[in-house]
């Protein structure tokens, strides 16, 4: 009530806003509370139940209409809170003595504190409620309308009922003093047991249930207060005087006035029993009158109704306690009084059955079946089987568990009396004179059934006792005889069913149905309780199918018996679904399909489907009557069959049943007629339970299945709309239904059924969306879910508002899960759907999220919903983030957390101090981390910037990583593993995206601490053990497989990131890296060797990926791992994976092969270091062979289908084997290549080749790939392998012998020949390193070159075949350098010239077989020399060609992994110029290589210098003149023929390039490249000098050359060679130093005389280390162009003709040394070498030909 002091205190309160104070006054007037309480209620309402934002409150309070609505809502909230407080006390009393409850000790403490004042307080409150006057508008304001007054009175009745329920439970545990009993008796009498309320004029029909409930508890309190159990105990022990009411007489006076209402019945019954027991000598007419009054009130009917109204005993402690109370009362009453004096036996039995519904009481009954209620059982046995109902009804109630089931079965199996009725005494019976004892003279069949059928036979001589005092049924006369006859009641039950089958179409069917129904109910209950009894009941259960068929076929079927039959089948189907289905589908009861179902369209159309007997019964009987017992049983039966996991054929047989439910029942059941409230909700719940069970089945096969049928129907038909309508019920409707319930709890009320139905609708919709096939168009269900209709019709808003539901936490949780699903898959904005309620709903979400007493699963679901929204709902997540912005000091925006930001709650959950508390369990912590991970993954920079600035954020975040988890072999909560995984992922994302220089210092400190505390080692050990345990426990069904995989994946990500961010992550120690690497290796080994399951293979693939990356990145520490520790496990893993299923292991195989390749490359091993080389080589070769054969099949299949792509590298073929860069086949070839390199002598390879036809398989696949121009990667890898094999003589012989030329030569034509302009097709400007078909051609050239170099004459014919087939391509390639200077084109030219260089060693064979081609090649090589010289000479022209004509693109740089400031324009220009310079140098280097090989090749096409100088009989016609006699500068025009000027220009270009190199003064780091370039230049000049001198002598000796031209040649050569010396001298210090170096060289000669020779063999050169027939002045060769010192020495034995002495022989020894190629005078030394030769020969052979002398003179 209002008080002045409370108003003054409120007015003095400065913390409460004035608006709330004013509104609190209005609340105070409406509810009759003081002002302070009113304001407190308002504040609680605003915090917990206000469905708008705080910002709108001010406007609501100012608006009169809205403020009135708010007042009424606060009143409802206040009333509900009062009831909740009482329910809390009731909950405490329910469980405070239950030791199984986890908080029983705490509850007990609470009850002990309440015990003192609980009774008095609650009694006074009850009295005040019952006597309080109804509020009026005068006292409580205008809002107190009649409706509000009625609402207030309903609240009063509910509180009264709850108060009495609490008091009843209290006195069930504590003794009631006599004075309290008197007080309660007086109070209840005055109140009329709830019927004489002060405001009884307000009672309407809807309140009758509450009034009855008040009466029930009033009666129970008084009965419990009399302590009948203690009275019974005292009577048995003969100490009745110890009972507390032994001397009480006051109550009796009040009870004498009872008897006018039914609620007095139990009280009077208990009091009569009490007085009869305590004072048997005082039994008077008063006691008899009270007893008579009790029976007149129908006490046993009342008890039956009361116990039914209190509900079942599932989780209802009140109902169980009430049954215990009544059980004691009835047991003592039946024991104390004669049964005949207690009224109708049926009423007793009904009440006893309700009492025995409590399981514990059934067990208690069987402990003493002859006492108490056992008297009723004996009475029922006395009339059995004349009346089967009473006994079977009692026994059915006595079934509670397996022990009681066995007792009931045994009890019925051993019956000793058979009672039957006779109208007259039969002739075959004799009796005593008094007629009380009969004796049968002949045997008798008790049932008129046919021969061979089950029957009972009463033998002759049985005695029967005529029962006196036993009345027959109403309207019957005669005798009731009880025969002494032993039989089994189960046989009798079988006979009863047989009788019903016989009379099913007669008028006696109803009577027999009345006898059979209790039998069926008993069978159902006993099978449900104890399945082991079912085999004994097979004669009964096997007849149910026929009974069901017969009964459903009659005109007016007995619905209740049919229901009982179906219930029996439900119990059977729970254990034997297949057997039940096979027997049931022949009865015609269930719907069926007349034609086979082949497709979904036919199924949905219901074509050929019949409704069956059930369908007819539903339409013709149940719907008109409004009773649906058969429908409920039918739905439960189909659900049980579905859950029984029938086979696919049997499941398809249920399709008509399910289709009937989906098409005829689900869309329309809410429109049916119903006689009983709550049946409609129950049917809807059962339908959704069936659909839910179907959606949880596993789908198999292509034919229509139950699951696909449900998915399609719900997604596309009216059934889906019906489910949407159920979900659209809304939280307000549910709250109204719950408020209308009289019960305080339980799970059987209409409100609970409605909640369960809505929950099932949520789950069903979620599963349909999850399982529905992907489609471009939205289904009707999805459209209905996501439509943006009016605000009231928006289903998304309705789903979100379920967050306001407080009764069942599962309801809002499932609603949020459905929202999460819709937010993921539906193309809509949840934020837009919420409309103006979005902010209010957010506040409700966050209120429940931050509440410490909220259900943990709801909080987890909310965080999971927000996690999904981060990626899919940007507007919604911004609403929940609620970030406020302001301009910072530097002009940038700064973000801060708003009042309603979800990040505040997440940060609180993240606090390390909160971990382990009951409000922050590990699962909730894991959900918070998952949300943060989603923010990092989605790059929500605004939120991340706020989080980074929070104090101790990184410290709290990384706390899980510093904890010590128990070993993986012990039990660990899976969510803990996920939490650690999310932390690792967040750290990895932060390091990856943020520049290391701006990383938060706290994160840096955490990473440093992570390293210093050896957490890398800890987690490495843990993950290794986790992999082992997970793979070992996978077969045992380890629960946390997915969580373990998640942690392993996160650890893998962290390690991969550490390879590139070792500084930031403080992982630089090689020993730590080595340990981490070895742990990864051990884990990979465990995953791939322990099991071949899908999980282990997937885990192994993850680990192999990590191993591969670490092998590549951590080369330094991996090298520290010895080869025996690394290669054997990799080999074992590869062998293990080869035996697993190919589809599961292809990626794993590829990664293992890559790891082996990297291991071999990093280790630099040789064949002797790999002990398992033979086994590994054999294994890999087997793989290569299998993969090659598979590739052949797939390629042929692709060709046959006509799907050949131009380049299989760009498109992955979906058929069979795929050709990819990292495919198993390609990597196996590369690994074979590495193993071949390790096998230095090739012996191991030869052994494998002899065992396996690996080379023929590879060559066959190679040939097919080349012909079809497919499998680019395989082709390249195969050629690389063959090229590696060809390096040794044995390998080259094996490759050549396997038919490599047949597999490559002709098929290679298709590589560069295209449909249009095929000759120039290959000269595309493509990156040199990119896989391409021109690259395949280049590899083929290298292979031919290598084979020819190694095998030589044994391969010359094949080489000539190759060059003959590809001569056009070769010539075009030599000419293409002029037009295309791309690296790819130059590379092909390089390979081509290299091949021609090897082939030029066999000029005679070439000349013999392909003379014209030889001439064309020589010409083109000369032109190529001219082109290279020109391009090297003119850098600007080359640069212009590269930029303007060729468009050679620079290789793209790596993408920046962090966002950085854009570079300045000058920096970009500088980088571009530097890149262009590097590209130009690369092209120059390629041109120089081509030029050097070209000159070396031309050297073989020109005469040997010494031979042409000294052999006068040499045939000049054998060698062509390669260069024209001209000394002009070489031109770029192809019309200008190569000349001596070309060679002179080549030498000049080389000298100038050497000069540039000397001027650079590059650092030591690049000296190797510089030395290589110098050596290459030296090699080019050497060969150019050789060709120049040889061609010059060839011209001088050629008689066809005019003398004038010869003279010109001498002059030009003299001047040019001298200029070369001066040029080189200028490059070095001075010419003097150069000459001094020459003089230091030792030169001597001696020319002995020998016999004359007449042929080319007169000239013989012997030069150690230099090839034969050469002078030794070839100071270097292509394969040795990098050597640093060149020594030369040779002997010339010369035979020439002398006129005086006939023949004269001269032997000249020429020797010299060029000490360092890098010397300043190196090039000059080359020239001087020639001078030494000519000088020594000239000085000792004065009679040489004049041409040579003139040449020497000109040179000198």
């Amino acid at each position: 009530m209002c008080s002045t002091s409370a108003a003054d205190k409120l007015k003095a309160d400065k913390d409460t806003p004035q608006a709330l104070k004013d509104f609190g006054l209005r609340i105070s007037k409406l509810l009759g509370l003081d002002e302070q309480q009113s304001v407190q209620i308002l504040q609680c309402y605003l915090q917990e139940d206000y469905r708008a934002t705080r910002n709108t409150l001010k406007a609501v309070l100012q608006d009169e209409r809205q403020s009135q609505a708010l007042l009424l809502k606060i009143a409802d909230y206040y009333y509900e809170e009062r009831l909740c407080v009482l329910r809390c006390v009731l909950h405490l009393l329910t469980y405070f003595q239950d030791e199984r409850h986890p908080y029983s000790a705490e509850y007990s403490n609470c009850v002990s504190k309440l015990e003192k004042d609980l009774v008095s307080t609650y009694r006074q409150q009850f009295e005040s409620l019952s006597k309080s006057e109804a509020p009026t508008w005068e006292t409580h304001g205008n809002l107190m309308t009649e409706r509000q007054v009625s609402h207030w009175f309903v609240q009063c009745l509910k509180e009264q009922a709850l108060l009495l329920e609490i008091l009843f439970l209290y006195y069930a545990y504590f003794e009631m003093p006599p004075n309290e009993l008197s007080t309660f008796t007086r109070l209840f009498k005055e109140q009329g047991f709830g019927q004489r309320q002060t405001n009884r004029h307000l009672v309407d029909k809807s309140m009758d249930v509450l009034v009855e409930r008040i009466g029930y508890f009033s009666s129970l309190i008084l009965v419990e207060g009399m302590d009948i159990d203690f009275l019974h105990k005292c009577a048995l022990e003969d100490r009745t005087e110890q009972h507390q009411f032994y001397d009480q007489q006051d109550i009796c006076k009040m009870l004498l006035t009872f008897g006018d209402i039914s609620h007095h019945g139990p009280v009077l019954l208990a009091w009569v029993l009490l007085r009869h027991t305590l004072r048997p000598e005082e039994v008077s007419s008063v006691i008899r009158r009270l007893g008579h009054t009790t029976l007149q009130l129908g006490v046993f009917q009342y008890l039956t109704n009361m116990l039914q109204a209190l509900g079942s005993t599932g989780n209802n402690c009140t109902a169980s306690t009430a049954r215990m109370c009544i059980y004691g009362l009835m047991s003592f009453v039946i024991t104390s009084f004669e049964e005949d004096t207690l009224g109708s036996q049926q009423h007793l039995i009904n009440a006893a059955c309700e009492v025995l519904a409590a399981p514990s009481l059934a067990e208690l009954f069987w402990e003493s079946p002859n006492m108490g209620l056992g008297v009723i059982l004996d009475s029922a046995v006395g009339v059995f089987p004349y009346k089967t109902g009473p006994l079977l009804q009692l026994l059915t109630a006595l079934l509670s568990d397996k022990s009681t089931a066995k007792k009931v079965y045994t009890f019925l199996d051993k019956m000793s009396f058979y009672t039957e009725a006779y109208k007259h005494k039969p002739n075959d019976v004799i009796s005593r004179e008094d007629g009380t004892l009969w004796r049968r003279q002949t045997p008798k069949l008790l049932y008129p059934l046919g021969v061979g059928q089950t029957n009972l036979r009463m033998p002759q001589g049985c005695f029967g006792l005529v029962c006196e005092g036993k009345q027959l049924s109403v309207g019957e006369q005669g005798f009731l005889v009880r025969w002494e006859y032993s039989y089994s009641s189960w046989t009798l039950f079988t006979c009863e069913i047989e009788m019903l089958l016989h009379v099913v179409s007669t008028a006696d069917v109803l009577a027999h149905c009345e006898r059979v129904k209790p039998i069926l109910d008993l069978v159902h209950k006993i099978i449900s309780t104890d399945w082991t009894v079912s085999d004994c009941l097979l004669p009964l259960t096997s007849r149910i199918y026929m009974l069901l068929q017969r009964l459903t076929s009659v005109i007016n079927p007995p619905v209740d018996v049919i229901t009982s039959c179906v219930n029996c089948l439900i119990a059977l189907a729970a254990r034997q679904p297949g057997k039940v289905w096979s027997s049931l589908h022949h009865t015609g009861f269930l719907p069926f399909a007349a034609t086979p179902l082949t497709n979904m369209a036919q199924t949905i159309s219901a074509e050929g489907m019949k409704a069956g007997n059930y369908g007819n019964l539903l339409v013709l009987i149940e719907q008109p009557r409004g009773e649906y017992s058969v429908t409920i049983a039918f739905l439960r039966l189909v659900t049980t069959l579905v859950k029984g996991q029938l086979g696919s054929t049997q499941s398809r047989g249920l399709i008509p049943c399910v289709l009937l439910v989906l098409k005829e029942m689900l869309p329309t059941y809410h429109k049916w007629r119903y006689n009983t409230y709550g049946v409609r909700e129950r049917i809807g719940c059962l339908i959704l339970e069936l659909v839910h069970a179907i959606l949880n089945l596993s789908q198999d096969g292509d034919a229509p299945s139950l699951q696909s049928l449900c998915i399609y129907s719900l997604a596309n038909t009216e059934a889906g709309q019906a489910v949407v309508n159920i979900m659209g019920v809304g939280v307000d409707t549910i709250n109204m239904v719950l408020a209308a319930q009289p019960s305080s709890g339980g799970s059987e009320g209409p409100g609970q059924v409605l909640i369960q139905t809505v929950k099932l609708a949520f789950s069903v919709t979620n599963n349909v969306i999850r399982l529905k096939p992907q489609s471009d168009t939205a289904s009707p269900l999805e459209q209905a879910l996501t439509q943006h209709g009016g605000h009231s019709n928006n289903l998304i808003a309705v789903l979100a508002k379920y967050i306001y539901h407080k009764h069942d936490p599962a309801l809002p949780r499932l609603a949020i899960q459905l929202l999460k699903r819709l937010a993921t898959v539906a193309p809509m904005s949840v934020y837009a759907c919420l409309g103006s309620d979005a902010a209010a709903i957010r506040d409700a979400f966050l209120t429940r999220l931050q509440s410490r007493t909220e259900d943990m699963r709801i909080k987890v679901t909310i965080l999971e919903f927000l996690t999904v929204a981060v990626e899919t709902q940007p507007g919604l997540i911004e609403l929940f983030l609620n970030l406020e912005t302001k301009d910072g000091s530097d002009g940038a925006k700064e973000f801060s957390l708003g009042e309603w930001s979800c990040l505040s709650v997440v940060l609180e959950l993240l606090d390390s101090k909160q971990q382990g508390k009951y409000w922050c369990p590990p699962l909730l912590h894991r959900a918070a981390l998952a949300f943060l991970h989603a923010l990092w993954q989605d790059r929500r920079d605004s939120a991340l910037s706020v989080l980074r600035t929070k104090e101790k954020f990184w410290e709290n975040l990384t706390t899980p990583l510093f904890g010590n988890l128990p070993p993986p072999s012990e039990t660990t909560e899976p969510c803990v593993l996920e939490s650690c995984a999310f932390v690792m992922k967040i750290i990895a994302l932060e390091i990856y995206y943020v520049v290391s220089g701006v990383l938060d210092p706290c994160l840096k400190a955490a990473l440093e601490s992570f390293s210093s505390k050896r957490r890398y080692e800890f987690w490495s050990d843990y993950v290794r053990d986790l992999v082992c345990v997970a793979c070992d426990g996978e077969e045992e069904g380890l629960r946390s497989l997915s969580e373990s995989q998640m942690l392993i994946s996160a650890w893998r990500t962290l390690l991969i990131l550490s390879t590139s961010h070792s500084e930031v992550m403080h992982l630089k120690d090689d020993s730590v890296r080595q340990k981490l690497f070895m742990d990864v290796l051990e884990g990979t080994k465990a995953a791939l060797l322990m099991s071949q399951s899908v999980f282990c293979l997937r885990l192994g693939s993850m680990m192999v990926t990590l191993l591969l990356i670490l092998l590549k990145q951590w080369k330094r520490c991996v090298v520290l791992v010895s080869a025996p520790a690394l290669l054997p496990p990799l080999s074992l893993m590869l062998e293990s994976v080869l035996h697993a299923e190919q589809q599961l292991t292809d990626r794993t195989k590829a990664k293992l092969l890559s790891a082996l390749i990297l291991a071999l490359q990093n280790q630099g091993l040789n064949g002797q270091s790999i002990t398992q080389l033979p086994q590994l080589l054999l294994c890999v070769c087997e793989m290569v062979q299998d993969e090659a054969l598979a590739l052949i099949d797939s390629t042929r299949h692709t060709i046959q289908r006509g799907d050949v792509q131009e380049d299989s590298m760009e498109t992955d073929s979906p058929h069979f084997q795929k050709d990819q860069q990292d495919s198993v086949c390609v990597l196996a070839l590369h690994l074979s290549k590495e193993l071949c390199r390790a096998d230095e002598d090739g012996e191991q390879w030869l052994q494998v080749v002899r065992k396996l036809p690996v080379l023929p398989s590879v060559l066959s696949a190679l040939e097919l790939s080349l012909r079809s121009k497919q499998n680019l990667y395989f082709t390249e890898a195969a050629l690389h392998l063959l090229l590696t094999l060809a390096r040794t003589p044995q390998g080259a012989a094996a490759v050549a012998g396997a038919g490599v030329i047949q597999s490559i030569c002709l098929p290679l034509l298709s590589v560069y020949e295209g449909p249009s302009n095929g000759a120039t097709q290959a000269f595309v400007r493509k990156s040199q390193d990119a896989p391409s078909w021109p690259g395949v051609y280049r590899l083929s050239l290298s292979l031919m070159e290598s084979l020819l170099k190694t095998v030589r004459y044994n391969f010359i014919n094949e080489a000539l075949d190759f060059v003959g087939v590809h001569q056009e391509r070769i010539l075009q390639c030599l000419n293409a350098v002029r037009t295309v200077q791309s690296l790819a084109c130059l590379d092909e030219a390089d390979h081509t010239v290299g091949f021609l260089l090897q082939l030029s060693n066999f000029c005679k064979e070439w000349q013999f077989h392909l003379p014209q081609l030889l001439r064309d090649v020589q010409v083109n090589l000369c032109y190529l020399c001219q082109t290279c010289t020109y391009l090297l000479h003119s850098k600007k022209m080359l640069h212009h060609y590269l930029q303007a004509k060729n468009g050679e693109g620079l290789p793209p740089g790596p993408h920046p992994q962090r966002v950085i400031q854009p570079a300045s324009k000058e920096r970009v220009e500088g980088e571009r110029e530097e890149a262009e310079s590097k590209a130009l140098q690369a092209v120059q280097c390629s041109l120089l290589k081509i030029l050097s090989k070209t000159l070396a090749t031309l050297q073989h096409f020109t005469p040997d210098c010494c031979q042409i100088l000294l052999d006068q009989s040499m045939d000049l016609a054998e060698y062509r003149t390669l260069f024209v006699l001209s000394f002009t500068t070489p031109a770029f025009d192809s019309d200008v023929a190569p000349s001596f000027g070309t060679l002179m220009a080549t030498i000049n270009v080389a000298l100038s390039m050497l000069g540039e190199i000397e001027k650079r003064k590059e650092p030591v780091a690049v000296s190797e490249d510089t030395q290589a370039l110098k050596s290459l230049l030296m090699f080019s000049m050497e060969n150019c000098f050789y060709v120049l001198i040889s061609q010059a002598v060839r011209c001088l000796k050629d008689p066809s050359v005019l003398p004038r031209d010869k003279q010109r040649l001498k002059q030009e050569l003299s001047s040019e060679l001298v200029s070369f010396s001066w040029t080189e001298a200028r490059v070095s210090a001075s010419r003097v130093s150069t000459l001094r170096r020459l003089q230091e060289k030792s030169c001597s000669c001696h020319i002995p005389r020998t016999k004359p020779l007449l042929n080319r063999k007169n000239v013989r050169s012997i030069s150690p280390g230099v090839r034969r027939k050469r002078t030794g002045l070839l100071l270097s060769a292509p394969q040795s162009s990098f050597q640093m010192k060149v020594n030369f020495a040779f002997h010339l034995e010369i035979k020439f003709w002398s006129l005086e002495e006939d023949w004269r022989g001269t032997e000249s020894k020429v020797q010299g040394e060029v000490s360092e190629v890098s010397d300043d005078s190196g090039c000059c030394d080359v020239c001087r070498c020639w001078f030494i030769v000519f000088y020594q020969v000239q000085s000792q052979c004065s009679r040489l030909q004049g041409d040579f002398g003139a040449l020497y003179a000109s040179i000198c």
Side-chain angles (χ1 to χ4, degrees), residues 1233-1473:
K1233 178 186 68 176
E1234 294 299 329
L1235 293 174
C1236 178
R1237 288 178 177 174
D1239 184 20
E1240 295 180 349
D1241 54 2
E1243 292 297 329
Q1244 302 295 339
W1245 254 105
L1246 289 179
Q1247 295 178 10
V1248 172
V1249 168
R1250 294 189 186 104
K1251 291 180 181 178
L1252 295 175
V1254 59
L1255 284 179
S1257 301
V1258 172
L1259 291 175
S1260 299
L1262 179 62
E1263 180 180 357
L1264 184 61
S1265 300
L1266 291 173
R1267 289 187 185 278
S1268 59
K1269 203 176 180 182
Q1270 294 190 76
N1271 310 323
L1272 171 62
Y1273 293 112
F1274 166 79
T1275 304
E1276 282 199 339
L1279 288 173
H1280 276 295
L1281 172 62
L1282 297 175
L1283 193 58
T1284 306
L1285 283 172
R1287 65 183 176 81
T1288 60
Q1290 300 95 325
V1295 172
V1300 65
I1301 195 65
Q1302 291 84 358
S1303 300
I1304 292 180
C1305 187
L1306 290 176
L1308 194 60
L1309 291 171
S1310 60
V1311 167
Y1312 56 82
E1313 287 184 354
S1316 60
N1317 197 16
T1320 60
Q1321 179 183 349
F1323 297 108
V1324 292
R1325 296 171 178 87
K1326 195 172 184 180
S1327 176
Q1328 181 184 11
D1329 298 327
S1332 61
W1333 289 109
V1336 169
Y1337 173 73
R1338 295 194 293 269
L1339 283 175
S1340 302
L1341 287 173
S1342 297
L1343 178 60
M1344 295 298 108
E1345 176 186 355
S1346 180
L1347 289 172
L1348 184 59
K1349 179 181 177 181
T1350 306
V1351 185
R1352 298 189 62 78
Y1353 282 97
N1354 292 331
F1355 195 72
I1356 184 60
N1357 292 331
E1358 289 83 352
L1360 290 173
D1361 291 340
F1362 183 87
V1363 76
V1365 169
H1366 300 281
Q1367 56 180 324
E1368 184 179 355
R1369 174 72 179 194
I1370 290 173
L1371 296 176
Q1372 288 174 349
C1373 175
L1374 298 178
N1375 289 325
V1377 177
R1378 181 183 295 107
T1379 56
V1380 182
Q1381 289 83 36
S1382 66
L1383 293 178
C1385 178
L1386 295 178
D1387 192 35
E1388 182 175 339
D1390 186 18
H1391 284 76
T1392 302
V1393 177
F1395 173 56
L1396 294 176
L1397 174 60
Q1398 293 298 326
L1399 194 60
S1400 63
N1401 289 309
F1402 308 93
C1403 292
K1404 291 185 177 180
E1405 291 79 0
W1406 194 351
Q1407 175 68 30
F1408 178 77
H1409 290 92
L1410 299 169
Q1412 183 58 44
L1413 177 60
L1414 177 60
R1415 288 191 291 273
D1416 294 340
V1417 167
Q1418 291 173 348
V1419 172
N1420 281 275
L1421 285 175
C1422 294
Y1423 275 100
L1424 179 60
C1425 179
Q1426 177 174 281
T1427 301
C1428 292
T1429 301
Y1430 177 81
L1431 292 175
L1432 288 172
H1433 172 70
S1434 179
K1435 293 183 180 179
K1436 292 184 179 180
M1437 182 64 68
L1438 179 59
H1439 191 212
H1440 169 73
Y1441 272 99
L1442 291 176
Q1443 281 188 328
K1445 187 176 181 181
N1446 293 331
E1448 177 80 13
L1450 297 176
H1455 295 288
Q1457 70 178 20
R1458 305 182 183 87
V1459 179
I1460 59 175
Q1461 296 296 330
S1464 62
K1465 184 177 180 181
E1466 294 79 5
R1467 181 180 176 184
V1468 172
E1469 289 292 332
E1471 290 178 353
R1472 185 175 62 82
E1473 291 178 1

Side-chain angles (χ1 to χ4, degrees), residues 345 382-383 386-387 419-424 466-482:
Q345 183 192 37
V383 295
Y386 168 63
K387 293 180 180 179
T419 305
E420 61 180 343
Y422 296 90
K423 292 183 179 180
H424 306 283
V466 178
C467 301
E468 297 179 359
K470 296 288 185 181
Q471 299 294 326
L472 299 178
S473 299
V474 178
E476 293 186 7
Q477 294 181 351
F479 305 95
L480 191 64
V481 181
R482 188 176 184 183

Side-chain angles (χ1 to χ4, degrees), residues 332-460:
F332 199 13
V333 166
I334 295 171
T335 302
S336 302
F337 301 103
E338 293 292 334
E339 182 184 354
D340 296 339
T341 64
L342 298 177
S344 171
Q345 183 192 37
Q346 188 60 47
H347 293 160
L348 276 172
I349 291 175
N350 291 338
C353 290
E354 280 299 325
V355 168
L356 293 171
S360 59
L361 295 179
E363 299 176 7
L364 185 62
F365 173 89
W366 286 110
E367 291 178 3
S368 55
N370 298 322
M371 297 176 60
L373 295 183
V375 176
I376 304 178
L377 181 64
D378 291 338
S379 177
V381 170
V383 295
F384 183 83
Y386 168 63
K387 293 180 180 179
T388 59
L391 177 63
L392 298 185
Q393 187 179 354
L394 267 175
L395 292 176
T396 303
L398 287 169
L399 286 165
S400 63
D401 55 15
K402 290 186 176 182
S403 62
T404 57
K406 287 182 169 57
K407 291 176 182 177
V408 169
Y409 178 82
T410 305
F411 184 88
L412 289 172
D413 193 44
K414 297 178 179 179
M415 298 296 289
S416 55
F417 295 99
Y418 185 91
T419 305
E420 61 180 343
Y422 296 90
K423 292 183 179 180
H424 306 283
K425 180 181 176 182
N427 296 327
D428 58 349
V429 169
I430 60 175
S431 64
R432 287 182 181 178
E433 295 179 358
D434 56 0
T436 59
L437 185 63
W438 291 6
R439 183 175 182 273
R440 182 164 293 283
Q441 292 182 319
T442 61
K444 176 187 175 182
L445 290 175
L446 299 181
Y447 289 91
L449 299 173
V451 179
Q453 291 183 322
T454 302
N455 209 328
L456 286 176
R457 181 184 180 90
M458 186 178 294
Q460 178 182 356

